[in-house]
Amino acid sequence: MVHVTRFLTLAACVLALGAAPDFARADELDTAMKRANKKLTSRLVSITKWAAGKRISGFRHRTFELILTIDPDHARARGVLGFKRKGKDGPWVKKKGVSEPPDWAVNLVPKGEEKIKKALTSYREDVITALDMDPAPNPARHEAIMETLVDLLPDDAVLRERNGDVFFEGRWVLPETASAIKRRKELRALGRELTKKAFLHVVEDPKIISNNWRSAWKSDQRWVFGVVHHDESRDIISSMEAAAGICAHLFGEPEDPLGPLQTIVLTDRDQAREIVSRNPKWRTTLAELDMVSGLHLPTGEYMVYRSNRAKRRTGPVRQVIQSGLRRRFPGKSRGWITEGIGQRLTWYTTGFHGPFMVSLARTERLTVDEEEPELPDSARAWPRAAAKVLTKEGPRCVAAVLTKRLNAMRASDILVAYGLAAFLIETRPKQFVKFAEATKAGHDAEEIVRTTLGADDVAMLTRRLRRWLMEY
């Protein structure tokens, strides 16, 4: 059964993604679309009248919200949903404290949703007819209208077949979604395989242990030692070796080992402060210590100090991957490479995300007036969170992220960068590296997308990316 809430989540993207037809052009397609929209709005209003008094106020509320995705200035819907207009032609402002009411007669909700589905199916037929009858079809315009239809009816077989989508593992998805699932599994399996292989080949280093460290392990190219149990330090060095292997798989073998080559693992900041305080020349390092969860010592070692074991593991892994990214994409910093590609490779290696390379509390672009999303704790939730940002901000946020510096990134930028990185690595493996190189060399997002991915523009890439993230 289709749920109205899903209609609203998806249909809300129409304006943000530029998917609405250009009503400024008085052509036949515009006229047909206006007629179809008016017909759908009328049917939805009728459904709200049917729902009145049936103790399904939540369903009625959601239906009015759906009306607003088609007719943003619908006075009745705005009034019921608690909006009031500032001035005659001013913006709609929602009253505080207005929220969706509950559905008490929940047994009637499926019947109402079926009515919604029939109305949307009829709308689908009207829109497809309008597209087929368009005397001067514009491919980008047609694609945008079809994208809106798929948002409204994501499980409609007729629509998805026409859109070139595939039925995969019990649902309709983009062809890229199906191929990405296979590649994603392969990369995660590679991460586990490389970790297991390294785990079996690293050896303990008794010489370092004799210097009052609880554990010490070494591989052919790096050492990990510290105050943690020997099993943990062995896990860390194995994951670091796996991270280097992931980078080699994607970017080719580096001429020299990826750093850090020596990693000290501590369990709290006081331990780190004690080590740094032993050398009076490290005053600058001591000042930085409280601002980060791991740092490079002047003598070359990387020191991680976290109370959480999983974060003690992902911190050094992020450092190896960052070293690989700097080698492969030298020159000016690009935040989407560091926080997008870097976090995704960390996930392939460990199944978790690592610490951020940017301090969101001190980002130069964040102001108190900006509303930023929370970064989810679960890695599984990141793609959907990125899709929500794209729904709200549309192509402009993708264009901005491509050339944004690391210290200018906000939480929303990190989510978009992460989603873009996952999409490119898993669906465009042959163009992925070329695309990243292009963002380092240029500032024209439209040209970068056109010349490296073959997409017509950033808007097209954004629509494809957002749907892929929704289907993740």
Side-chain angles (χ1 to χ4, degrees):
M1 182 62 65
V2 181
H3 199 284
V4 179
T5 302
R6 183 167 56 173
F7 294 151
L8 302 175
T9 301
L10 296 174
C13 76
V14 174
L15 295 178
L17 293 180
D22 181 5
F23 291 121
R25 296 174 53 190
D27 58 20
E28 293 183 26
L29 180 58
D30 285 342
T31 301
M33 287 299 300
K34 288 179 180 179
R35 188 184 306 119
N37 289 346
K38 184 177 180 179
K39 177 182 174 182
L40 176 58
T41 300
S42 178
R43 293 191 66 170
L44 293 175
V45 169
S46 296
I47 293 172
T48 65
K49 293 178 179 178
W50 166 84
K54 288 185 169 59
R55 298 191 301 147
I56 48 174
S57 300
F59 168 80
R60 184 168 175 266
H61 184 100
R62 295 190 294 274
T63 304
F64 275 119
E65 288 182 332
L66 183 56
I67 289 172
L68 290 185
T69 67
I70 303 156
D71 183 1
D73 291 324
H74 193 279
R76 175 62 176 159
R78 287 289 183 180
V80 171
L81 297 175
F83 287 89
K84 187 176 181 179
R85 197 160 214 165
K86 283 189 173 183
K88 184 179 179 180
D89 299 314
W92 291 99
V93 180
K94 193 169 186 177
K95 300 175 185 177
K96 293 183 179 180
V98 178
S99 59
E100 181 181 307
D103 287 314
W104 295 104
V106 292
N107 58 307
L108 290 178
V109 173
K111 185 176 181 180
E113 290 176 342
E114 188 61 32
K115 290 177 180 288
I116 294 283
K117 184 177 180 180
K118 288 181 179 179
L120 290 175
T121 301
S122 177
Y123 179 69
R124 177 203 70 193
E125 294 303 312
D126 291 340
V127 173
I128 288 179
T129 298
L131 293 174
D132 289 341
M133 299 293 290
D134 186 7
N138 180 302
R141 193 177 182 205
H142 279 218
E143 181 197 352
I145 293 173
M146 284 294 292
E147 176 72 7
T148 303
L149 272 183
V150 175
D151 281 340
L152 293 170
L153 288 164
D155 300 321
D156 189 290
V158 174
L159 187 61
R160 298 305 291 256
E161 285 181 354
R162 180 186 173 103
N163 208 42
D165 299 332
V166 298
F167 194 72
F168 180 75
E169 295 184 349
R171 61 185 179 132
W172 285 96
V173 297
L174 294 173
E176 295 101 313
T177 298
S179 61
I181 289 174
K182 179 181 179 181
R183 179 160 170 79
R184 187 179 310 140
K185 289 179 179 178
E186 291 173 348
L187 289 171
R188 279 291 291 123
L190 176 62
R192 289 190 291 267
E193 178 185 344
L194 291 171
T195 302
K196 182 178 179 181
K197 181 179 178 181
F199 188 85
L200 296 175
H201 286 85
V202 296
V203 296
E204 282 191 291
D205 191 326
K207 183 178 180 180
I208 295 180
I209 293 177
S210 66
N211 290 325
N212 296 320
W213 293 109
R214 186 180 182 188
S215 60
W217 291 85
K218 64 179 179 179
S219 65
D220 291 339
Q221 55 190 18
R222 60 175 48 86
W223 286 260
V224 170
F225 52 95
V227 301
V228 297
H229 191 271
H230 70 277
D231 285 344
E232 180 179 346
S233 55
R234 188 180 187 184
D235 287 340
I236 292 173
I237 192 172
S238 300
S239 296
M240 294 175 74
E241 292 294 324
I246 289 284
C247 289
H249 176 77
L250 292 174
F251 308 134
E253 289 285 351
E255 294 183 2
D256 301 309
L258 300 180
L261 302 184
Q262 296 186 48
T263 300
I264 304 173
V265 185
L266 310 173
T267 57
D268 61 56
R269 202 177 301 274
D270 288 339
Q271 295 170 352
R273 188 176 289 107
E274 180 184 350
I275 291 176
V276 173
S277 298
R278 293 174 187 171
N279 194 324
K281 296 182 180 180
W282 292 359
R283 291 178 181 176
T284 303
T285 304
L286 188 61
E288 295 174 351
L289 192 147
D290 290 329
M291 297 187 292
V292 293
S293 59
L295 54 80
H296 292 271
L297 297 177
T299 46
E301 301 94 337
Y302 176 72
M303 185 169 60
V304 60
Y305 39 95
R306 301 293 292 266
S307 59
N308 182 284
R309 176 168 177 166
K311 293 179 179 179
R312 287 196 295 268
R313 178 186 175 211
T314 55
V317 167
R318 277 280 272 151
Q319 291 298 318
V320 173
I321 290 171
Q322 180 62 12
S323 176
L325 293 175
R326 283 196 298 264
R327 297 275 187 90
R328 187 59 187 83
F329 308 108
K332 63 183 69 173
S333 170
R334 286 289 184 251
W336 89 271
I337 293 178
T338 297
E339 290 297 354
I341 300 176
Q343 287 286 19
R344 193 59 176 175
L345 299 194
T346 302
W347 182 81
Y348 293 139
T349 306
T350 67
F352 297 95
H353 295 152
F356 300 109
M357 298 295 181
V358 61
S359 172
L360 292 176
R362 295 183 292 128
T363 179
E364 62 193 52
R365 292 294 302 276
L366 189 62
T367 70
V368 294
D369 296 328
E370 294 182 21
E371 293 185 6
E372 282 295 303
E374 293 288 336
L375 294 173
D377 293 330
S378 168
R380 180 74 183 177
W382 275 52
R384 285 299 181 96
K388 288 183 179 179
V389 176
L390 292 175
T391 296
K392 178 182 177 182
E393 300 190 21
R396 64 187 178 89
C397 67
V398 175
V401 160
L402 293 185
T403 56
K404 186 168 288 189
R405 291 180 292 112
L406 182 63
N407 286 337
M409 295 189 80
R410 308 163 299 164
S412 55
D413 297 320
I414 290 177
L415 289 170
V416 171
Y418 181 80
L420 179 64
F423 176 77
L424 293 172
I425 294 170
E426 296 173 13
T427 73
R428 306 290 192 273
K430 293 183 179 180
Q431 296 108 317
F432 153 61
V433 172
K434 183 179 179 182
F435 181 89
E437 288 176 337
T439 64
K440 295 280 286 189
H443 294 275
D444 188 335
E446 296 289 352
E447 182 181 5
I448 291 170
V449 169
R450 184 174 58 255
T451 58
T452 61
L453 299 182
D456 288 347
D457 53 25
V458 175
M460 178 183 290
L461 170 63
T462 303
R463 287 193 293 269
R464 207 77 179 177
L465 170 60
R466 185 192 64 87
R467 183 162 303 286
W468 183 81
L469 292 168
M470 292 296 297
E471 295 172 351
Y472 181 88

